[in-house]
Amino acid sequence: MAIEEIRVKKTIPFDYLQKGLEMSFDQVERLKDIQLRGLQSRRKLCLVLDLDHTLLHTNFRQNPNINAASHDDIFEWKAMGKVYFTKLRPFVRNFLEEASHMFTLYVYTMGSRNYAHIVTDFLDPQGVYFGKRVISREDCTTPGQKGLDVVPVDPSAVVVLDDTEPVWKGYFANLLLIEKYDYFSQMELDESEEEGELSYALEVLTKLHSVYFDWYDNFMDCDVRELLDTRWEEIIDDQGVGMGTCASEMRCGKRERVDDQILSVAKLQRIC
């Protein structure tokens, strides 16, 4: 649904929170402000997490060489008569546990709603971290694009962690890029738990959270987008820039991957 179509309707759908729920732009803005103040009072921010190639990797082909039962981080499942395997990224369980103390967590994927709920259950079987906050392509207000319009939190308190930049057109200021996780193409070379991408990302997010609330305590106002733009060097100063993702790439993007990412997005939109 294009932005122009939404403006004609004058509402934004939030089916992922409650079937049939729609809110006017004014209602959404009021809710975002309320949520912002609620988060700040609890010393939290909002973290929007991509699924595929960020928190996990799903193999869309049958692979008889994988014995999922022998791994606690590989899951075999079926949909539409096909067999799929999903591998959780190393450190992801620790990452979600630690991040949940500092952030309210959302999932946002370009996969289908059915797919999103299947693989999110592997990450969060008890619904502790995400609850109903699982956004899929059916919830996008612009085809092929993710947007914070369907995240009911003021964007000034929202950080996005994703391996794909092009889908966040209009929200690059909120985006931290993480290196793409592609387990099934090189299974013998999995990431390190202690020094992998999610471990590094958690350190950066922890420092960002600290800097945000230091600023907020002094001025009662803050914006993560401004911090990521003007105070990035302070945020990554002691975060081991040499390991995992290069800090400049995490912030500024990997432009040479854009064409490949656009193709990946198209493939995801066909899943399930």
Side-chain angles (χ1 to χ4, degrees):
M1 184 182 299
I3 291 293
E4 292 77 10
E5 293 174 337
I6 294 173
R7 294 194 179 279
V8 169
K9 290 183 64 178
K10 298 183 180 179
T11 60
I12 297 177
F14 286 86
D15 280 330
Y16 72 92
L17 293 176
Q18 181 179 316
K19 183 67 174 176
L21 175 63
E22 293 189 3
M23 288 185 278
S24 69
F25 287 95
D26 288 343
Q27 288 174 319
V28 172
E29 289 305 308
R30 287 196 296 270
L31 178 58
K32 288 188 174 191
D33 185 59
I34 291 170
Q35 293 282 71
L36 171 63
R37 287 184 273 118
L39 285 173
Q40 289 171 333
S41 70
R42 292 181 284 124
R43 312 289 288 185
K44 281 193 169 188
L45 298 171
C46 176
L47 178 60
V48 176
L49 297 163
D50 174 50
L51 281 176
D52 295 281
H53 302 299
T54 296
L55 299 183
L56 49 82
H57 182 207
T58 294
N59 183 12
F60 310 136
R61 303 181 304 276
Q62 292 191 7
N63 192 331
N65 297 320
I66 298 174
N67 181 7
S70 65
H71 299 268
D72 64 358
D73 59 353
I74 298 180
F75 300 86
E76 179 179 346
W77 52 282
K78 295 181 180 180
M80 300 178 66
K82 297 180 180 179
V83 176
Y84 297 87
F85 293 90
T86 294
K87 168 69 167 64
L88 304 188
R89 195 169 200 161
F91 195 72
V92 68
R93 292 188 174 107
N94 301 78
F95 175 88
L96 294 176
E97 170 66 23
E98 295 300 321
S100 68
H101 298 305
M102 300 176 286
F103 299 85
T104 292
L105 304 181
Y106 283 74
V107 161
Y108 202 147
T109 177
M110 293 303 291
S112 70
R113 182 173 289 125
N114 181 58
Y115 171 73
H117 284 284
I118 288 171
V119 299
T120 300
D121 281 347
F122 302 148
L123 291 165
D124 185 19
Q126 305 302 319
V128 174
Y129 302 124
F130 302 118
K132 294 183 177 181
R133 298 182 301 275
V134 179
I135 306 170
S136 61
R137 68 164 177 253
E138 289 91 336
D139 304 299
C140 296
T141 56
T142 301
Q145 287 289 314
K146 298 178 179 180
L148 296 182
D149 51 346
V150 294
V151 177
V153 179
D154 189 274
S156 66
V158 180
V159 183
V160 175
L161 186 66
D162 200 321
D163 72 287
T164 304
E165 183 182 25
V167 295
W168 287 104
K169 184 178 180 180
Y171 297 97
F172 294 150
N174 298 86
L175 177 63
L176 290 178
L177 277 168
I178 190 167
E179 189 69 33
K180 180 178 180 178
Y181 183 55
D182 192 8
Y183 172 78
F184 290 107
S185 66
Q186 46 184 0
M187 291 185 287
E188 72 281 2
L189 297 173
D190 204 4
E191 289 182 4
S192 163
E193 285 269 347
E194 296 79 15
E195 297 184 355
E197 296 292 323
L198 286 178
S199 177
Y200 178 75
L202 180 63
E203 293 183 18
V204 172
L205 290 166
T206 300
K207 187 65 180 292
L208 174 61
H209 179 275
S210 175
V211 171
Y212 178 96
F213 280 103
D214 283 347
W215 190 272
Y216 176 77
D217 289 340
N218 284 308
F219 302 102
M220 295 304 293
D221 187 27
C222 197
D223 191 321
V224 296
R225 296 166 296 189
E226 182 177 349
L227 295 182
L228 291 173
D229 183 41
T230 64
R231 300 173 72 94
W232 180 241
E233 294 302 323
E234 175 185 341
I235 291 168
I236 56 99
D237 181 54
D238 60 350
Q239 301 308 310
V241 173
M243 72 175 181
T245 298
C246 171
S248 62
E249 289 183 336
M250 175 174 264
R251 181 70 203 116
C252 300
K254 302 178 176 66
R255 299 290 179 181
E256 71 278 6
R257 291 166 42 205
V258 168
D259 290 341
D260 290 339
Q261 289 172 351
I262 291 172
L263 291 175
S264 296
V265 169
K267 290 178 182 178
L268 279 176
Q269 291 175 335
R270 294 195 294 269
I271 188 172
C272 300

